Amino acid sequence: MQKLSMILATLAGLFAAAQVGAQVADSYPSKPIRLLVGFPPGGSTDILSRQVGLRLAEALGQQVVIDNRAGAAGNLASELVAKGNPDGYTLLMATVSSHGINPGLYKKVPYDPVKDYAPVTLIASYPLILAVNPGVPVKNVKDLIALAKAQPGAVRFGSSGNGSPGHLSGEIFKGMAGVDLVHVPYKGGAPSTLAVLSGEVQITFATLPGAMPHIKSGKLKGLAVTTAKRSPAVPAVPTIAESGLPGFDVSSWAGLMAPAGTPKGVVQKLNAATLKALANPEMRERLAGEGAEPVGNTPEQFAAFVKVELAKWARAIKQAGAQID
């Protein structure tokens, strides 16, 4: 009898919690939402976040405030959200760095990429592009490899930070090409791109959204994209794989996440609002113009995707022999 009473009490508690969760979802959102971005203003993640934030604000009827918390390739922002209140008002623009690369690259990260979050949806994926300062005397990837072999350690490559996709792309490139490039980390994609523009470093593995304006203006020269297939945004630019390093394949991505424990109804409302934003023709056209491929999937699909990414990058990092304390 006592056991039955305990079961009934548990069921009553679950029913009450479900009712509270439904009520919370019905009234959500009732105040501005804060979207944390782990990189400085001007970079590809920031650009994407601001575009998504505007559309989410329209769909949800509340302001979405972009909060740039740059540091440790997205680890800082990720930690803040992991420890945030699971009420749907503190969100993270998760990236391939925070939920793909960093857990395998750093000896320890201050969050669990799976257990600490409630995935909402994968927003977009995009290739990186190997871009060089026009003053560097190379026309293609083979020229760059020849230059690096002739002058070991003389070619510097900038990235958006230690452990970023650009950094790891450079490490994989070094290993596959057998060259010695010097890594120079910056606090975000925008500072890294500016460093190439000024000649402080010669090359960078940049995301297309951040590099495209400078490539179109001729201030940067795009040698190759990092994915297995060419990008529709820059169809004339070859892949690194077809330019002398077969098998080279790296891509970046970004998706929306909430802290673990966020009511399911709130997650579903955020998911629906984001999918609505991504279905907007103007939004899709703008993302495509910047080299990003809009995705949009279910929370369950995004959760499964993250697990696959974590395993894939762990293997790549081990093969590259890269690690950060």
Side-chain angles (χ1 to χ4, degrees):
M1 193 70 179
Q2 185 178 3
K3 186 175 182 181
L4 178 61
S5 298
M6 290 176 64
I7 293 173
L8 291 173
T10 300
L11 290 174
L14 291 172
F15 179 73
Q19 284 188 314
V20 171
Q23 291 170 358
V24 169
D26 288 342
S27 61
Y28 176 85
S30 59
K31 61 182 181 180
I33 298 166
R34 190 165 59 117
L35 176 55
L36 271 70
V37 179
F39 302 93
S44 61
T45 306
D46 177 73
I47 292 170
L48 178 66
S49 299
R50 292 180 187 280
Q51 292 174 357
V52 171
L54 285 173
R55 297 295 178 184
L56 277 180
E58 293 174 2
L60 295 170
Q62 283 289 346
Q63 183 182 10
V64 177
V65 179
I66 305 301
D67 187 352
N68 296 89
R69 297 296 184 98
N75 284 353
L76 176 60
S78 300
E79 180 183 12
L80 290 171
V81 173
K83 296 177 179 178
N85 190 357
D87 56 6
Y89 293 98
T90 301
L91 306 175
L92 173 71
M93 185 58 76
T95 66
V96 65
S97 291
S98 65
H99 285 72
I101 295 173
N102 292 359
L105 189 66
Y106 287 79
K107 286 186 176 180
K108 185 178 180 180
V109 292
Y111 57 90
D112 186 306
V114 175
K115 295 179 181 179
D116 288 344
Y117 302 91
V120 177
T121 189
L122 178 61
I123 292 174
S125 64
Y126 37 85
L128 279 71
I129 187 165
L130 172 53
V132 303
N133 182 293
V136 179
V138 297
K139 294 181 179 180
N140 50 49
V141 171
K142 289 183 178 179
D143 286 349
L144 177 62
I145 292 173
L147 175 65
K149 286 185 175 180
Q151 302 178 39
V155 178
R156 301 180 301 279
F157 78 95
S159 80
S160 57
N162 286 322
S164 66
H167 171 210
L168 193 55
S169 294
E171 294 296 339
I172 294 173
F173 184 90
K174 286 166 57 178
M176 292 182 69
V179 295
D180 180 18
L181 305 178
V182 177
H183 176 228
V184 183
Y186 293 88
K187 293 183 178 180
S192 174
T193 301
L194 288 173
V196 184
L197 291 169
S198 68
E200 187 173 307
V201 296
Q202 289 88 359
I203 67 173
T204 186
F205 292 84
T207 53
L208 271 180
M212 284 279 286
H214 305 295
I215 291 173
K216 288 180 178 179
S217 69
K219 294 179 180 178
L220 281 181
K221 183 163 52 178
L223 294 188
V225 293
T226 60
T227 42
K229 296 181 179 180
R230 294 193 183 197
S231 168
V234 282
V237 177
T239 66
I240 291 178
E242 67 182 283
S243 301
L245 296 180
F248 196 102
D249 184 11
V250 176
S251 61
S252 188
W253 55 263
L256 200 62
M257 287 197 173
T262 300
K264 188 174 181 179
V266 170
V267 172
Q268 290 173 337
K269 186 171 278 190
L270 283 167
N271 177 269
T274 309
L275 295 186
K276 182 179 179 181
L278 291 174
N280 182 283
E282 184 181 339
M283 176 80 167
R284 295 184 71 85
E285 183 178 351
R286 185 164 185 178
L287 289 179
E290 293 173 347
E293 180 182 342
V295 183
N297 55 12
T298 67
E300 294 76 17
Q301 288 170 331
F302 188 23
F305 172 83
V306 168
K307 290 180 180 179
V308 171
E309 284 289 289
L310 287 167
K312 180 186 79 173
W313 284 107
R315 290 193 298 269
I317 291 162
K318 185 176 181 179
Q319 290 171 1
Q323 189 173 64
I324 298 174
D325 294 330

